[in-house]
Structures are given as C-alpha cells and as structure tokens.
Amino acid sequence: MHVPDGFINAPVSAATGLIAAGAVAVSLRGARRELDERTAPLAGLVAAFIFAVQMLNFPVAAGTSGHLLGGALAAILVGPYTGVLCVSVVLLMQGVLFADGGLTALGVNITDMAIVTTVVAYLTFRGLVKVLPRTRRSITASSFVAALISVPAAAVAFTFLYALGGTTDVSIGKVATAMIGVHVLIGIGEAAITALTVGAVIAVRPDLVYGARGLTQKLKLRVDGELVDAPAAEEPAPVAARSHRKVWIAGLVTSLVLAGFVSFYASANPDGLEKVAADKGIDKKAEEHATADSPLADYGVKDITDTRLSGGLAGVIGVGVTVVAGSGIFWALRRRRTTDAGPASTDSVSENA
C-alpha cells in the first residue's frame, strides 16, 4: 500500500504531511512513557522485523499479492506510540533508500500505514482483551482480529484521501470496492503473521509483549465449594536483570534470513494498491521516484547482475540500516526519559526525607 508520487495532489499531500508530522511528534512524547527496560531494546528490532517481512509478498487472488503493514504487530509488541514510530522509520528507510513509496507522498504513507493501522489495531486489541478471559490465547486471538481489521481500515483511509486529492478522474465507488475487497484478503495474511509472531514471543518471554502486561489470569482455588483467588506468587526477578540478548539475537537473525534469503521466493505479483491502480487507472499520473537511481532502488544492489544475490544483499542492508536507525532513536528517547525522571525522583526523595 505504498503510495507513489503523483497519486495524490500537492495540497492533500502537504496536509497529510502536517498530520504525519504532528502524529510523530505526539508519538515521540508518548514513546518516552512506553520505552522501558523491556521495550527499548526491542523497538528497533521490531522496526527491522517489519521491514524484513514487508519484503515477503504473499499471493492473494487474481494476480494480486499482499504484504505485512505492521501497525498492529508493532503496537501490540512495543506500544501504540512506539508502534507509530516503528512503522514510520520503516517507511522512511524504504522511501529514501529503496525508492518504495513516494517522497512527496511520505505524509500520505505515514498517515495511512503507520497512524491508521496502529490506532485502529490497538483500539480493537484493547477492547477485545477487556472482554475476553485474560489468557495468553485471548491475547493472541485479539492480535489476530486487530490486525485483520487494520488492513481494510487503511484501504478505507486511502480511498478517503484519494477522494479528496486524487489526480485522476476515477469513480470513488469503484476505488473503494476494489481497495477494500482485496485488502480484506490481505488482512487475513496480516492477521496470521501478527498472531504467530505475538504468540511466539508470548510463549518465550510474555513480559516483553507490551499488550500482554497485566493480562495474566489470576489462579483460582476452590475453598468450601467457592472459588477464591490464590495467594499471590513470589515476585519474579526484576525485569532489568533478565537478559534480552537471546531474544534480540534470535529476532535479528530471523529478520536477516527473511530479508536476505526467503524474500527471493516472495510473490512477484503486484500488491493490492498497485493492482487496483493499474486496473482502475489511478496510476495515470504517477511520477518517477526522486531516488529511482539509488544504489538500492527496487530492493536490489546496483551493478550486481545476480538477481538472488542483489535482492538478498539489499534486504540485509535494509534490515541493518533500519535496526541501527530505529535503535538509535528509541535508545535516545529512553535516555531522555531517564534524564527527565532523574531530577523529579531526587526531589521526591528529598521532600520525603
């Protein structure tokens, strides 16, 4: 669903740029509250994992493919504010380095793929876990439904933006029907990937899943025929003392393998937006990407003729750049939070003394 330059006119692109900038600013502030000893080391990895999985287009129907958007996955793993930043980092890397998604349309893409998907998914997820039994299965099931809904929601958002600023004269009804129809199917793939990933992390380290905090069901005991809460278990070791290194290394290796090797076997069919644009004529005024001559344009390394090697190396570079950029941003936010909290904590201790 990466929107290229020329699909949406300049005024609407500029307006979405302002919306995206405002949302990123709010998310930077909100992420400082979300990023702690558990989420800070993993946020950059989540961005890199989303980048890698987005290279794995899967077939859906009628010569169309889809790929992960990642908003639901990021929001559930590291929090909604941090999730918006994770997807935004991915979109920025893709647009600047790989000529995927227009630069003038960056605001459109962040609004559609980072903000809408994350907000819709997280609100859906939180609503479900409040009414379902508080178990690991309910978290996984809720992540499936949240991801499923987030993709057609993004399709609706694109249709709305196209209705406001589309550069071709195409029936909005036809655009909406085509976009929502194909992205419901893509949403199934998104839901499966999200649920499998969330479920895998919960199985190994449930404390690392932001959306799973405080959702463990209390143990019940039957006493004189009545169910009562069991005594609280002994407090676990502090989270800071529990190493994230194994999870981080496993996640990074998985991302590198997916981007560097598995991506070669991804579907070559156009994705949902590309297919609809070609079929309905939305792409008539599409513009060449500003970084079309980039050494990594179209997810290949320039001057390397071997397709498999070129694509795999580009994927590995993309994962590396994304994890470095994302980790740098999130660690800086984490350190800023620690710095801001320091004086307040000191003052509080002094007052109590």
Side-chain angles (χ1 to χ4, degrees):
M1 201 181 291
H2 294 76
V3 179
D5 296 321
F7 275 28
I8 307 295
N9 64 26
V12 174
S13 295
T16 55
L18 293 175
I19 293 172
V24 167
V26 171
S27 296
L28 286 169
R29 190 174 185 86
R32 287 163 58 186
R33 298 190 298 270
E34 294 174 345
L35 293 169
D36 56 18
E37 292 83 357
R38 288 171 285 187
T39 52
L42 297 178
L45 178 61
V46 169
F49 181 77
I50 290 173
F51 175 92
V53 180
Q54 283 197 0
M55 294 184 66
L56 308 180
N57 281 47
F58 49 84
V60 284
T64 307
S65 69
H67 62 70
L68 182 81
L69 297 185
L73 179 62
I76 295 166
L77 288 180
V78 292
Y81 294 107
T82 308
V84 169
L85 297 179
C86 284
V87 181
S88 297
V89 167
V90 173
L91 293 172
L92 181 61
M93 295 298 104
Q94 291 171 331
V96 173
L97 297 179
F98 297 90
D100 189 10
L103 296 184
T104 62
L106 184 59
V108 174
N109 285 319
I110 290 177
T111 300
D112 195 23
M113 296 176 64
I115 302 170
V116 171
T117 58
T118 302
V119 171
V120 169
Y122 196 71
L123 290 177
T124 302
F125 175 80
R126 294 305 302 177
L128 289 172
V129 296
K130 285 183 178 180
V131 299
L132 293 175
R134 299 197 170 201
T135 65
R136 294 179 183 179
R137 288 185 179 180
S138 71
I139 296 169
T140 304
S142 297
S143 68
F144 182 95
V145 176
L148 177 64
I149 293 175
S150 70
V151 178
V156 171
F158 169 79
T159 303
F160 175 74
L161 293 175
Y162 192 80
L164 293 178
T167 55
T168 56
D169 186 16
V170 179
S171 168
I172 299 303
K174 293 181 179 180
V175 173
T177 300
M179 283 292 292
I180 296 171
V182 71
H183 283 92
V184 166
L185 299 177
I186 294 172
I188 297 173
E190 175 103 10
I193 294 170
T194 300
L196 286 172
T197 305
V198 171
V201 178
I202 287 177
V204 179
R205 288 289 300 274
D207 59 296
L208 296 182
V209 179
Y210 182 91
R213 296 182 184 180
L215 296 179
T216 303
Q217 189 175 28
K218 291 184 177 180
L219 180 64
K220 298 285 187 179
L221 296 178
R222 186 174 295 279
V223 179
D224 296 331
E226 295 183 2
L227 288 176
V228 297
D229 291 337
E234 183 179 348
E235 287 294 324
V239 175
R242 303 176 65 187
S243 174
H244 305 122
R245 184 176 301 175
K246 291 182 179 180
V247 174
W248 198 92
I249 292 175
L252 180 60
V253 170
T254 300
S255 300
L256 290 172
V257 170
L258 291 175
F261 177 73
V262 181
S263 62
F264 180 77
Y265 301 97
S267 173
N269 291 332
D271 66 23
L273 177 58
E274 291 173 333
K275 178 66 172 175
V276 172
D279 289 348
K280 304 302 179 183
I282 295 175
D283 59 355
K284 290 180 180 178
K285 294 187 178 180
E287 301 173 2
E288 185 178 14
H289 200 284
T291 62
D293 295 329
S294 165
L296 298 173
D298 296 323
Y299 298 95
V301 178
K302 191 175 183 180
D303 297 330
I304 295 182
T305 56
D306 186 289
T307 304
R308 182 181 299 220
L309 178 61
S310 177
L313 186 56
V316 169
I317 293 172
V319 168
V321 172
T322 303
V323 76
V324 170
S327 296
I329 292 171
F330 298 126
W331 271 114
L333 288 172
R334 171 62 184 157
R335 292 175 63 184
R336 177 70 179 274
R337 170 183 169 172
T338 303
T339 302
D340 291 346
S345 299
T346 303
D347 293 343
S348 177
V349 171
S350 299
E351 289 175 3
N352 291 335

